[in-house]
Amino acid sequence: MDYLYLEEKKSNGTIMNRVLLSICIPTFNRSALLNHNLNQILKQLYFINFANDIEIIISDNCSTDDTKEIVKYFLKIDNRFKYFRNDINIGADLNIVNCYNKSSGQYLWILADDDFIFDNKLILLFDKIKTLKYDYLFLNSTWYLKDYKKELNKDLSNKNFNSIEYDNPLFFLKKINYWITFLSSNIINKNILDQAFNLNKFVGTSLHQVHWYLSVIENSKNYLYITTPIIGCKGNNTSNYNVFGIFVTNLRKIILETLVDNNLRTNAIKFIDKKMMLQFLPQYIIPIKSYTQRLEVLKLLYINYGNSLLFWLFILPLLILPNLFSKNLLKVSNYLINE
């Protein structure tokens, strides 16, 4: 492994001077987007008063582009940037685990390489974190497709910061819902997780970190939902994604096998399934033109949602009826989502 930054350690191997917040960025062959991401962090770091309170970890999954050269620039300017490069590509899931293991902060924020923090937001967010009041912070995001300067509202960089506090895990989880799967939106207090916690339990699902997030939610009572958009995100930037396998089969498996409390587990499945069917999945179902592919998706969704009335009243018609009927079905979904 290539280390451009070596952590100072005690003789027993433990990291000295644990920082408060670790911003960890797993990356692979996205040097231009990573460069923008890091620049957005760098220009806001000067407003963080105490140097040892924050670190930025870049975990490079053996990129073949100029990622290493890009990162060297930031290492020279600010020693809060730390760079680790894997000798081989270990896969996205293990690279995220690597971020966790390399972080020394009490709070962990895994920020995707193609996302970025809006101007003025890091200091406002950090002010909330340093109160040590919350074990989980959820950040809202705004999306763009090509050019964020043209597509996103310039007012997103203002100093507004609105949030809602929660003290009930069920209500908080219902609020964030399936967005718990969005990597960049979740900040957790690592102290909530037991030292024996299995970080790798769901590696291979492409959502293994949701296991961490659910565990923190279930074992905490202090949550902050930040309604103000904090991060800008590039849409349609992931290829070869098995959407239905990951966000239906894998997500439900993680929820069912992670949450211990029966009431929390049962309700989490209920309200996440509902929003997945009514809000998330239609955008991926409607474009499918192949009859064979629609049949495969139908089988998968039946296995997972076959006991739900919503499957029969909404998902099944969406899959088997001509797209001519889709608009009317989506109108129904907009009504049901608020029920």
Side-chain angles (χ1 to χ4, degrees):
M1 180 174 286
D2 182 7
Y3 297 91
L4 291 186
Y5 175 92
L6 295 177
E7 295 158 322
E8 185 177 359
K9 298 185 178 181
K10 296 179 181 178
S11 58
N12 63 4
T14 59
I15 299 172
M16 297 177 63
N17 299 322
R18 188 180 188 188
V19 300
L20 184 59
L21 173 64
S22 296
I23 302 176
C24 300
I25 306 172
T27 190
F28 176 69
N29 282 353
R30 284 177 171 169
S31 61
L33 291 167
L34 176 66
N35 184 50
H36 176 58
N37 186 334
L38 297 179
N39 268 307
Q40 283 296 113
I41 294 173
L42 178 63
K43 67 181 180 180
Q44 297 183 66
L45 278 181
Y46 297 114
F47 298 100
I48 306 295
N49 292 328
F50 302 101
N52 292 331
D53 279 349
I54 193 168
E55 66 179 358
I56 299 88
I57 292 175
I58 301 101
S59 183
D60 181 0
N61 207 7
C62 200
S63 295
T64 56
D65 61 4
D66 59 342
T67 290
K68 185 173 180 179
E69 287 66 37
I70 291 291
V71 174
K72 279 183 178 179
Y73 167 77
F74 295 93
L75 297 177
K76 292 178 181 178
I77 292 179
D78 196 310
N79 62 11
R80 286 174 285 189
F81 287 90
K82 307 172 187 180
Y83 177 73
F84 302 91
R85 176 180 165 85
N86 301 323
D87 293 331
I88 60 172
N89 187 320
I90 59 176
D93 283 13
L94 285 175
N95 200 32
I96 292 173
V97 174
N98 197 43
C99 285
Y100 188 106
N101 289 330
K102 296 300 181 185
S103 67
S104 58
Q106 177 178 340
Y107 287 86
L108 175 75
W109 181 8
I110 300 180
L111 181 65
D113 56 1
D114 56 341
D115 300 333
F116 67 92
I117 307 170
F118 290 125
D119 290 345
N120 302 311
K121 301 305 184 186
L122 182 56
I123 182 62
L124 296 172
L125 176 62
F126 190 77
D127 284 344
K128 291 292 184 182
I129 293 172
K130 70 183 182 182
T131 66
L132 302 179
K133 184 178 179 180
Y134 311 104
D135 293 321
Y136 200 118
L137 299 91
F138 182 86
L139 320 178
N140 254 306
S141 56
T142 300
W143 295 70
Y144 71 97
L145 293 177
K146 294 181 180 180
D147 188 342
Y148 72 92
K149 292 181 179 178
K150 294 180 180 179
E151 297 175 46
L152 299 184
N153 191 331
K154 293 182 180 179
D155 290 340
L156 291 169
S157 294
N158 61 33
K159 294 186 179 181
N160 290 339
F161 194 92
N162 301 311
S163 59
I164 305 170
E165 293 185 348
Y166 287 84
D167 59 8
N168 183 298
L170 181 60
F171 294 160
F172 180 68
L173 186 52
K174 185 174 183 179
K175 179 65 176 179
I176 65 175
N177 214 279
Y178 62 74
W179 283 99
I180 194 173
T181 64
F182 182 53
L183 192 65
S184 299
S185 280
N186 302 273
I187 299 177
I188 60 171
N189 181 354
K190 290 166 59 180
N191 288 349
I192 301 301
L193 299 179
D194 188 270
Q195 289 187 348
F197 186 80
N198 184 0
L199 296 172
N200 292 20
K201 183 174 181 179
F202 292 100
V203 164
T205 65
S206 298
L207 291 176
H208 62 293
Q209 72 280 353
V210 173
H211 172 53
W212 315 346
Y213 300 159
L214 288 170
S215 298
V216 172
I217 289 175
E218 183 166 31
N219 293 286
S220 307
K221 290 186 177 180
N222 300 300
Y223 320 95
L224 190 69
Y225 182 93
I226 299 168
T227 58
T228 303
I230 302 297
I231 42 182
C233 312
K234 186 170 176 55
N236 298 330
N237 203 38
T238 306
S239 59
N240 301 320
Y241 230 47
N242 177 10
V243 171
F244 301 99
I246 293 171
F247 291 97
V248 179
T249 303
N250 293 355
L251 177 58
R252 296 183 92 252
K253 176 182 174 65
I254 293 168
I255 295 171
L256 290 169
E257 296 184 15
T258 299
L259 295 176
V260 176
D261 181 82
N262 183 63
N263 182 59
L264 181 60
R265 182 175 62 248
T266 301
N267 281 285
I269 282 290
K270 182 179 178 180
F271 55 66
I272 291 177
D273 279 357
K274 178 181 178 180
K275 272 208 169 181
M276 288 295 292
M277 283 189 276
L278 292 175
Q279 195 174 69
F280 181 81
L281 294 178
Q283 63 185 310
Y284 297 101
I285 292 174
I286 292 172
I288 300 175
K289 296 180 179 180
S290 165
Y291 172 79
T292 302
Q293 189 177 355
R294 285 200 172 220
L295 186 60
E296 290 175 356
V297 171
L298 176 60
K299 290 177 181 177
L300 184 149
L301 297 183
Y302 172 75
I303 291 170
N304 287 279
Y305 298 142
N307 291 328
S308 169
L309 186 61
L310 274 179
F311 171 81
W312 298 100
L313 295 180
F314 181 70
I315 293 295
L316 182 62
L318 201 61
L319 277 163
I320 65 175
L321 293 178
N323 280 348
L324 179 65
F325 295 91
S326 297
K327 288 185 178 180
N328 290 329
L329 286 169
L330 292 177
K331 287 180 182 179
V332 173
S333 74
N334 290 332
Y335 171 77
L336 290 175
I337 200 71
N338 296 314
E339 288 296 302

